[in-house]
Amino acid sequence: MTTSETNVELIGTDLSADLAATALSLARRFNAGATLWVVSPQWEPHAHHVAVEFVHPVIMGKRALPSVSLVEPDPVAQCRVASRPGDVILAVASADQAQVREIMRRAPAWGTDTIWIGSGPRPEPGSANHILWVDSDDPMVPATGRFVLMYHLLWELTHVCFEHPGLLRISDDECADGGCVTCSDEGRLAEVVVAPGNPLDSALVRTAVGEEEVDATLIQDIAPDDLLLIHGGAAIARIDPDEEVR
């Protein structure tokens, strides 16, 4: 897709494929009861705009999709409190936006899928479940309408998926492929809710399947909001603040 005035390709082949895959994933989440939480610390109007689009059906009589913009000063805390396992967090932000990076790191422990829309230098691969990116260093891209075009297409394509109910069912093969967090206990990410009162107590953590208690005797000085790697009901490592989570 290009503009006749500037001959700039707005949505290239790779981004088109990314949009289609993201829309299908998002439709499946909505179909299972998810809420979409939207953050944009740098460009708050984008957060409002995305949320408004999704709660308005593309065609009159079609379903509205639950979407809420989170625009308080601490979006990490907001996402932590608001989201439930199975929800989706969408961020419109540059790759170096610290709060969004932190949300993306913690989202696996909250059990949420993530979508990251932005431009300029890309986030590291695996930083979000879906990355929709404009490969341009022009600082005006967020204000030129290209972001709006992307999330309008995402909104419309998500509704298109609902017109094909067969697409919304996730097969057992898809669930097992790649380590679905509900199907295995291999190195799951957890966020500490309540630290142990003494070295022999368990820690209450938040994981992709909800809150649970884990053995914390291998890790010293655990504190609330720490990110832990858990396996077999025990915390086996702490994730450092600067360490990327894949």
Side-chain angles (χ1 to χ4, degrees), residues 22-23 26-27 30 54 65 153-162:
T22 304
L26 186 54
F30 277 131
F54 276 92
L65 301 173
L153 287 171
L154 180 62
W155 164 61
E156 293 176 7
L157 288 170
T158 300
H159 276 279
V160 168
C161 291
F162 278 100

Side-chain angles (χ1 to χ4, degrees), residues 122-128 131 245-246:
R122 280 180 171 262
E124 291 293 324
S127 298
I131 296 174
V245 177
R246 294 287 187 269

